[in-house]
Amino acid sequence: MSSQDSVIAIVTGASRGAGKGIALALGDTGATVYVTGRSVNEGDSPLPGTVFETAVEITRRGGKGIAVVCDHADDTQVDALFTQIAKEHGRLDILVNNALCVPEGLTAEGPFWEKPLGLQALLDVGLRSSYVASFYAAPLLIKSSTGLVINTSSPGGRCYMHGPAYGAGKAAIDKMAHDMAVDFRDYGVAVVALWMGILKTERTMAAITAQPELYGHMLEVAESPEYTGRVIAALAADPQRMSYSGKVCMAAELGEHYGLVDIDGRQPPSPRVMFGAVTEYSDVVIQ
C-alpha cells in the first residue's frame, strides 16, 4: 500500500451500535470505510440509524463512507460485497466482523429452554457470517501490506452472559480468530478477537432510559462505540500488530496501552475489573 492511498476498511453491521461507532472512528483517520447493514430507511428497525446515514457521517468527518445494503445471512450478497471492493480497490486493509443478529428475548431471565428457540439466529448472523465474510475477504486482505481482521466479541465467551447461545457464539468467534491467524500468518495478516466493554449504543441507552433503576449504574463504566474504533485504528497502524494475532484482547486494555481515551476524555475500565474474576481471563493476553 502506497503512502498516498487511504486505508480501505469494511465494518459489517454498521447502521448503528458498535459497528457505526467503529466505522466513524476509522473515518476520522481518513480511511475509506465500506459499511454494511439492512436498514435503508428510518423505521426499518425499532432503533434509529441507517447504513446510509453512517456513510454520510464518515464522509463528513474526513473519511470516505460507502454504504452497501447487505444481509449477512445471504452468502450471495456477501460475495457481491467483496467483489465490489475488489473492483473498486483491489485490496482490503481492515475487516471488522461485527454484524450480529440480536434476537428478541436474548436478555430475558430464565434457562435457555424457556427462551425462544430463535436465539440461535445469532449463530448465523454473528458466528457464521463472520466466517463467510472472512472467506470472501481473504484474497483481498493478503494483497494488503497491513491486513487486519477484527472479530468484535465480549467476555460472554468465557463467563455466563445471556445464556448458552450467546456464550457459544462469542467463544467460537474467539477461537475462529485464533485459527484464522494460523492460516494468515505467512501472509502478514493479523486476526484479533476484541472484547468490547459495555457500550453506549442506541439499544443500551434505550434500556437505561426505560429502566434507570436497573441499568442506570452502567453509565459509570460504559464506553462510546467509537472508542473501539479508535483502538482498532491504533492496532492497524501498529508495526507490531502481528504480535497480537490469534489472541483475544480487551479493547480497554489495548486502548490504555496505546494511550487512548474515550470521546469524553475518560479511560474505560477493563472487563477484568467489571466482571471481577481475573482467573477466568488469565489466558486473555495483552502485551
Side-chain angles (χ1 to χ4, degrees), residues 6-267:
S6 68
V7 167
I8 309 301
I10 177 168
V11 182
T12 68
S15 294
R16 63 190 64 82
K20 179 177 181 179
I22 292 168
L24 295 181
L26 292 176
D28 285 341
T29 69
T32 295
V33 188
Y34 288 79
V35 289
T36 70
R38 294 182 300 165
S39 296
V40 177
N41 303 299
E42 287 291 352
D44 288 349
S45 168
L47 295 169
T50 73
V51 68
F52 295 105
E53 290 174 359
T54 299
V56 168
E57 180 64 11
I58 290 168
T59 301
R60 189 190 70 80
R61 292 166 65 153
K64 181 179 180 182
I66 302 174
V68 180
V69 178
C70 180
D71 182 350
H72 282 272
D74 184 340
D75 295 354
T76 301
Q77 293 185 37
V78 179
D79 185 7
L81 165 67
F82 288 98
T83 297
Q84 176 182 344
I85 297 173
K87 289 180 179 179
E88 294 176 354
H89 296 284
R91 74 170 205 279
L92 180 64
D93 303 309
I94 302 174
L95 166 64
V96 181
N97 285 315
N98 176 74
L100 177 69
C101 173
V102 182
E104 185 176 352
L106 177 64
T107 60
E109 296 183 359
F112 74 92
W113 60 87
E114 294 180 359
K115 298 180 182 182
L117 182 60
L119 292 189
Q120 50 78 35
L122 58 80
L123 300 176
D124 184 16
V125 179
L127 173 58
R128 183 182 180 279
S129 63
S130 296
Y131 185 96
V132 173
S134 300
F135 175 87
Y136 286 116
L140 298 172
L141 287 162
I142 63 178
K143 292 180 180 179
S144 170
S145 60
T146 57
L148 174 65
V149 179
I150 296 291
N151 290 345
T152 59
S153 190
S154 85
R158 305 293 174 92
C159 68
Y160 188 92
M161 185 183 294
H162 308 321
Y166 182 86
K170 293 305 180 184
I173 208 167
D174 291 349
K175 182 60 162 63
M176 187 187 297
H178 175 274
D179 289 4
M180 286 184 176
V182 174
D183 290 346
F184 272 127
R185 184 175 298 136
D186 291 343
Y187 300 92
V189 177
V191 190
V192 174
L194 192 64
W195 284 6
M196 302 179 290
I198 298 172
L199 301 182
K200 298 176 185 176
T201 63
E202 296 85 353
R203 189 182 304 275
T204 299
M205 296 309 294
I208 292 174
T209 299
Q211 295 181 290
E213 70 283 359
L214 292 180
Y215 303 116
H217 67 281
M218 293 167 54
L219 289 175
E220 298 177 6
V221 296
E223 60 201 53
S224 77
E226 291 183 40
Y227 180 75
T228 302
R230 292 181 175 185
V231 171
I232 292 171
L235 178 59
D238 187 347
Q240 302 301 316
R241 72 189 184 289
M242 288 300 294
S243 66
Y244 298 100
S245 191
K247 298 177 180 178
V248 176
C249 294
M250 300 185 187
E253 294 180 3
L254 201 55
E256 185 174 13
H257 169 73
Y258 288 123
L260 302 174
V261 294
D262 207 344
I263 58 176
D264 61 3
R266 296 191 302 168
Q267 169 63 50

